[in-house]
């Protein structure tokens, strides 16, 4: 007879495997079927951006970064807790299996979210193709030359901006709103 914990563990294991299979299937599909990445980017992906993306966009810090820190602390803390409980005889080794399956399911869900929110987009046409720019291979020396040229131009033009006593550029009124509007316009176009 399976206990409630056994059934939950089985469910977490199956859920984790299904998330990983879905992730793998979506990545293989996007890399092997021409046009799938473009179709996904123009139909399903905007739903995620307009719902989840806009919601997280209201928060003035990186939710992913904070989530990563919390996850690392939770991982270490929960492992130590389970280990201490087992060593003190307050929990069975089965709790360690439950702990492993919980983290397996969590990692599998994160893998699926990565694929849905980022991974498939790597298999669509590049921005250069969309913008009609010629794509060609460049050497490391050409890239280095471009970086040096851009650095020199930025350094030369940096004297043309007004700065405060700390050396930070002083922005004119309304420049933030203009920048947001410009980025939204570019987002709509590209």
């Amino acid at each position: 007879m399976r206990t409630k914990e056994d059934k939950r563990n089985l469910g977490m294991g199956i859920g984790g495997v299904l998330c990983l299979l879905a992730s793998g299937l979506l990545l293989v599909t996007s890399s092997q079927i021409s046009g799938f990445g473009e179709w996904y980017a123009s139909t399903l992906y905007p739903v995620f951006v307009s719902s989840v993306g806009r919601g997280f966009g209201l928060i003035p810090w990186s939710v992913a970064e904070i989530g990563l820190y919390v996850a690392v602390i939770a991982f270490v803390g929960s492992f130590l807790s389970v280990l201490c409980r087992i060593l003190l005889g307050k929990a069975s080794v089965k709790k360690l299996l439950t702990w492993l399956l919980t983290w397996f399911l969590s990692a599998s869900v994160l893998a699926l979210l990565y694929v849905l929110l980022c991974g498939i987009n790597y298999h669509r046409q590049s921005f250069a193709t969309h913008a009609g720019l010629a794509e060609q291979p460049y050497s490391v020396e050409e890239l280095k030359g471009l970086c040096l040229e851009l650095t020199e131009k930025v350094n030369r033009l940096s004297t043309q901006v007004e700065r405060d006593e700390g050396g930070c550029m002083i922005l004119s009124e309304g420049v933030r709103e203009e920048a947001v509007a410009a980025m939204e316009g570019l987002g709509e176009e590209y």
Side-chain angles (χ1 to χ4, degrees), residues 4-24:
K4 191 175 184 179
E5 185 178 17
D6 290 339
K7 289 178 184 177
R8 195 171 109 229
N9 285 349
L10 181 63
M12 287 192 295
I14 291 171
V17 168
L18 289 175
C19 285
L20 288 179
L21 286 174
S23 300

PDB file of all heavy atoms in Angstrom, residues 4-24:
ATOM      1  N   LYS A   4       0.727   8.377   1.367  1.00  0.00           N
ATOM      2  CA  LYS A   4       0.491   9.678   0.737  1.00  0.00           C
ATOM      3  C   LYS A   4       1.822  10.272   0.250  1.00  0.00           C
ATOM      4  O   LYS A   4       1.894  10.855  -0.834  1.00  0.00           O
ATOM      5  CB  LYS A   4      -0.178  10.599   1.756  1.00  0.00           C
ATOM      6  CG  LYS A   4      -0.704  11.872   1.194  1.00  0.00           C
ATOM      7  CD  LYS A   4      -1.459  12.647   2.259  1.00  0.00           C
ATOM      8  CE  LYS A   4      -2.074  13.889   1.687  1.00  0.00           C
ATOM      9  NZ  LYS A   4      -2.826  14.643   2.684  1.00  0.00           N
ATOM     10  N   GLU A   5       2.875  10.089   1.045  1.00  0.00           N
ATOM     11  CA  GLU A   5       4.195  10.603   0.669  1.00  0.00           C
ATOM     12  C   GLU A   5       4.733   9.875  -0.562  1.00  0.00           C
ATOM     13  O   GLU A   5       5.327  10.496  -1.452  1.00  0.00           O
ATOM     14  CB  GLU A   5       5.176  10.466   1.839  1.00  0.00           C
ATOM     15  CG  GLU A   5       6.526  11.080   1.565  1.00  0.00           C
ATOM     16  CD  GLU A   5       7.473  10.979   2.747  1.00  0.00           C
ATOM     17  OE1 GLU A   5       7.233  10.174   3.665  1.00  0.00           O
ATOM     18  OE2 GLU A   5       8.470  11.723   2.739  1.00  0.00           O
ATOM     19  N   ASP A   6       4.504   8.552  -0.630  1.00  0.00           N
ATOM     20  CA  ASP A   6       4.946   7.794  -1.803  1.00  0.00           C
ATOM     21  C   ASP A   6       4.255   8.285  -3.067  1.00  0.00           C
ATOM     22  O   ASP A   6       4.880   8.440  -4.119  1.00  0.00           O
ATOM     23  CB  ASP A   6       4.654   6.298  -1.613  1.00  0.00           C
ATOM     24  CG  ASP A   6       5.530   5.641  -0.560  1.00  0.00           C
ATOM     25  OD1 ASP A   6       6.604   6.199  -0.256  1.00  0.00           O
ATOM     26  OD2 ASP A   6       5.128   4.583  -0.037  1.00  0.00           O
ATOM     27  N   LYS A   7       2.958   8.532  -2.969  1.00  0.00           N
ATOM     28  CA  LYS A   7       2.197   9.021  -4.123  1.00  0.00           C
ATOM     29  C   LYS A   7       2.679  10.399  -4.537  1.00  0.00           C
ATOM     30  O   LYS A   7       2.804  10.705  -5.726  1.00  0.00           O
ATOM     31  CB  LYS A   7       0.708   9.052  -3.797  1.00  0.00           C
ATOM     32  CG  LYS A   7       0.091   7.678  -3.684  1.00  0.00           C
ATOM     33  CD  LYS A   7      -1.380   7.777  -3.303  1.00  0.00           C
ATOM     34  CE  LYS A   7      -1.976   6.388  -3.089  1.00  0.00           C
ATOM     35  NZ  LYS A   7      -3.367   6.445  -2.651  1.00  0.00           N
ATOM     36  N   ARG A   8       2.971  11.252  -3.542  1.00  0.00           N
ATOM     37  CA  ARG A   8       3.468  12.590  -3.846  1.00  0.00           C
ATOM     38  C   ARG A   8       4.843  12.517  -4.504  1.00  0.00           C
ATOM     39  O   ARG A   8       5.124  13.220  -5.479  1.00  0.00           O
ATOM     40  CB  ARG A   8       3.528  13.427  -2.570  1.00  0.00           C
ATOM     41  CG  ARG A   8       3.674  14.908  -2.865  1.00  0.00           C
ATOM     42  CD  ARG A   8       3.504  15.745  -1.622  1.00  0.00           C
ATOM     43  NE  ARG A   8       4.813  16.265  -1.299  1.00  0.00           N
ATOM     44  CZ  ARG A   8       5.385  16.222  -0.115  1.00  0.00           C
ATOM     45  NH1 ARG A   8       4.753  15.711   0.897  1.00  0.00           N
ATOM     46  NH2 ARG A   8       6.581  16.717   0.072  1.00  0.00           N
ATOM     47  N   ASN A   9       5.705  11.640  -3.990  1.00  0.00           N
ATOM     48  CA  ASN A   9       7.034  11.474  -4.582  1.00  0.00           C
ATOM     49  C   ASN A   9       6.941  10.986  -6.023  1.00  0.00           C
ATOM     50  O   ASN A   9       7.654  11.468  -6.902  1.00  0.00           O
ATOM     51  CB  ASN A   9       7.876  10.508  -3.757  1.00  0.00           C
ATOM     52  CG  ASN A   9       8.389  11.121  -2.473  1.00  0.00           C
ATOM     53  OD1 ASN A   9       8.303  12.324  -2.271  1.00  0.00           O
ATOM     54  ND2 ASN A   9       8.907  10.290  -1.593  1.00  0.00           N
ATOM     55  N   LEU A  10       6.056  10.031  -6.268  1.00  0.00           N
ATOM     56  CA  LEU A  10       5.860   9.524  -7.619  1.00  0.00           C
ATOM     57  C   LEU A  10       5.374  10.639  -8.543  1.00  0.00           C
ATOM     58  O   LEU A  10       5.863  10.793  -9.661  1.00  0.00           O
ATOM     59  CB  LEU A  10       4.871   8.359  -7.604  1.00  0.00           C
ATOM     60  CG  LEU A  10       4.580   7.707  -8.961  1.00  0.00           C
ATOM     61  CD1 LEU A  10       5.840   7.083  -9.542  1.00  0.00           C
ATOM     62  CD2 LEU A  10       3.482   6.654  -8.818  1.00  0.00           C
ATOM     63  N   GLY A  11       4.426  11.417  -8.053  1.00  0.00           N
ATOM     64  CA  GLY A  11       3.911  12.542  -8.839  1.00  0.00           C
ATOM     65  C   GLY A  11       4.993  13.560  -9.160  1.00  0.00           C
ATOM     66  O   GLY A  11       5.069  14.067 -10.291  1.00  0.00           O
ATOM     67  N   MET A  12       5.842  13.868  -8.183  1.00  0.00           N
ATOM     68  CA  MET A  12       6.928  14.829  -8.435  1.00  0.00           C
ATOM     69  C   MET A  12       7.920  14.268  -9.446  1.00  0.00           C
ATOM     70  O   MET A  12       8.399  14.985 -10.326  1.00  0.00           O
ATOM     71  CB  MET A  12       7.639  15.198  -7.135  1.00  0.00           C
ATOM     72  CG  MET A  12       6.837  16.107  -6.243  1.00  0.00           C
ATOM     73  SD  MET A  12       7.779  16.814  -4.877  1.00  0.00           S
ATOM     74  CE  MET A  12       8.170  15.375  -3.915  1.00  0.00           C
ATOM     75  N   GLY A  13       8.235  12.976  -9.332  1.00  0.00           N
ATOM     76  CA  GLY A  13       9.159  12.357 -10.277  1.00  0.00           C
ATOM     77  C   GLY A  13       8.611  12.370 -11.686  1.00  0.00           C
ATOM     78  O   GLY A  13       9.305  12.741 -12.642  1.00  0.00           O
ATOM     79  N   ILE A  14       7.340  11.980 -11.834  1.00  0.00           N
ATOM     80  CA  ILE A  14       6.705  11.976 -13.151  1.00  0.00           C
ATOM     81  C   ILE A  14       6.609  13.403 -13.700  1.00  0.00           C
ATOM     82  O   ILE A  14       6.905  13.642 -14.876  1.00  0.00           O
ATOM     83  CB  ILE A  14       5.320  11.304 -13.085  1.00  0.00           C
ATOM     84  CG1 ILE A  14       5.481   9.808 -12.828  1.00  0.00           C
ATOM     85  CG2 ILE A  14       4.530  11.559 -14.363  1.00  0.00           C
ATOM     86  CD1 ILE A  14       4.189   9.079 -12.532  1.00  0.00           C
ATOM     87  N   GLY A  15       6.220  14.352 -12.845  1.00  0.00           N
ATOM     88  CA  GLY A  15       6.127  15.748 -13.277  1.00  0.00           C
ATOM     89  C   GLY A  15       7.466  16.282 -13.761  1.00  0.00           C
ATOM     90  O   GLY A  15       7.546  16.962 -14.795  1.00  0.00           O
ATOM     91  N   GLY A  16       8.540  15.977 -13.033  1.00  0.00           N
ATOM     92  CA  GLY A  16       9.872  16.421 -13.436  1.00  0.00           C
ATOM     93  C   GLY A  16      10.299  15.832 -14.761  1.00  0.00           C
ATOM     94  O   GLY A  16      10.827  16.528 -15.637  1.00  0.00           O
ATOM     95  N   VAL A  17      10.045  14.525 -14.934  1.00  0.00           N
ATOM     96  CA  VAL A  17      10.404  13.868 -16.197  1.00  0.00           C
ATOM     97  C   VAL A  17       9.598  14.462 -17.357  1.00  0.00           C
ATOM     98  O   VAL A  17      10.140  14.727 -18.433  1.00  0.00           O
ATOM     99  CB  VAL A  17      10.197  12.336 -16.092  1.00  0.00           C
ATOM    100  CG1 VAL A  17      10.289  11.678 -17.459  1.00  0.00           C
ATOM    101  CG2 VAL A  17      11.218  11.730 -15.139  1.00  0.00           C
ATOM    102  N   LEU A  18       8.303  14.703 -17.143  1.00  0.00           N
ATOM    103  CA  LEU A  18       7.467  15.288 -18.202  1.00  0.00           C
ATOM    104  C   LEU A  18       7.951  16.689 -18.588  1.00  0.00           C
ATOM    105  O   LEU A  18       7.980  17.039 -19.778  1.00  0.00           O
ATOM    106  CB  LEU A  18       6.003  15.322 -17.780  1.00  0.00           C
ATOM    107  CG  LEU A  18       5.300  13.959 -17.707  1.00  0.00           C
ATOM    108  CD1 LEU A  18       3.885  14.117 -17.159  1.00  0.00           C
ATOM    109  CD2 LEU A  18       5.301  13.271 -19.057  1.00  0.00           C
ATOM    110  N   CYS A  19       8.328  17.506 -17.590  1.00  0.00           N
ATOM    111  CA  CYS A  19       8.851  18.849 -17.890  1.00  0.00           C
ATOM    112  C   CYS A  19      10.137  18.760 -18.704  1.00  0.00           C
ATOM    113  O   CYS A  19      10.320  19.514 -19.665  1.00  0.00           O
ATOM    114  CB  CYS A  19       9.095  19.624 -16.601  1.00  0.00           C
ATOM    115  SG  CYS A  19       7.608  20.233 -15.806  1.00  0.00           S
ATOM    116  N   LEU A  20      11.029  17.839 -18.331  1.00  0.00           N
ATOM    117  CA  LEU A  20      12.279  17.683 -19.078  1.00  0.00           C
ATOM    118  C   LEU A  20      12.024  17.160 -20.488  1.00  0.00           C
ATOM    119  O   LEU A  20      12.659  17.615 -21.448  1.00  0.00           O
ATOM    120  CB  LEU A  20      13.233  16.751 -18.333  1.00  0.00           C
ATOM    121  CG  LEU A  20      13.864  17.318 -17.069  1.00  0.00           C
ATOM    122  CD1 LEU A  20      14.778  16.285 -16.418  1.00  0.00           C
ATOM    123  CD2 LEU A  20      14.636  18.596 -17.352  1.00  0.00           C
ATOM    124  N   LEU A  21      11.088  16.221 -20.626  1.00  0.00           N
ATOM    125  CA  LEU A  21      10.756  15.718 -21.962  1.00  0.00           C
ATOM    126  C   LEU A  21      10.159  16.824 -22.833  1.00  0.00           C
ATOM    127  O   LEU A  21      10.513  16.948 -24.014  1.00  0.00           O
ATOM    128  CB  LEU A  21       9.784  14.541 -21.858  1.00  0.00           C
ATOM    129  CG  LEU A  21      10.377  13.216 -21.369  1.00  0.00           C
ATOM    130  CD1 LEU A  21       9.275  12.180 -21.166  1.00  0.00           C
ATOM    131  CD2 LEU A  21      11.435  12.701 -22.334  1.00  0.00           C
ATOM    132  N   ALA A  22       9.267  17.620 -22.259  1.00  0.00           N
ATOM    133  CA  ALA A  22       8.681  18.732 -23.011  1.00  0.00           C
ATOM    134  C   ALA A  22       9.755  19.732 -23.418  1.00  0.00           C
ATOM    135  O   ALA A  22       9.764  20.222 -24.563  1.00  0.00           O
ATOM    136  CB  ALA A  22       7.597  19.422 -22.179  1.00  0.00           C
ATOM    137  N   SER A  23      10.677  20.031 -22.507  1.00  0.00           N
ATOM    138  CA  SER A  23      11.776  20.953 -22.822  1.00  0.00           C
ATOM    139  C   SER A  23      12.608  20.427 -23.975  1.00  0.00           C
ATOM    140  O   SER A  23      12.909  21.147 -24.928  1.00  0.00           O
ATOM    141  CB  SER A  23      12.680  21.150 -21.603  1.00  0.00           C
ATOM    142  OG  SER A  23      11.971  21.674 -20.523  1.00  0.00           O
ATOM    143  N   GLY A  24      12.993  19.169 -23.884  1.00  0.00           N
ATOM    144  CA  GLY A  24      13.803  18.568 -24.937  1.00  0.00           C
ATOM    145  C   GLY A  24      13.076  18.526 -26.271  1.00  0.00           C
ATOM    146  O   GLY A  24      13.650  18.853 -27.315  1.00  0.00           O
TER     147      GLY A  24
END
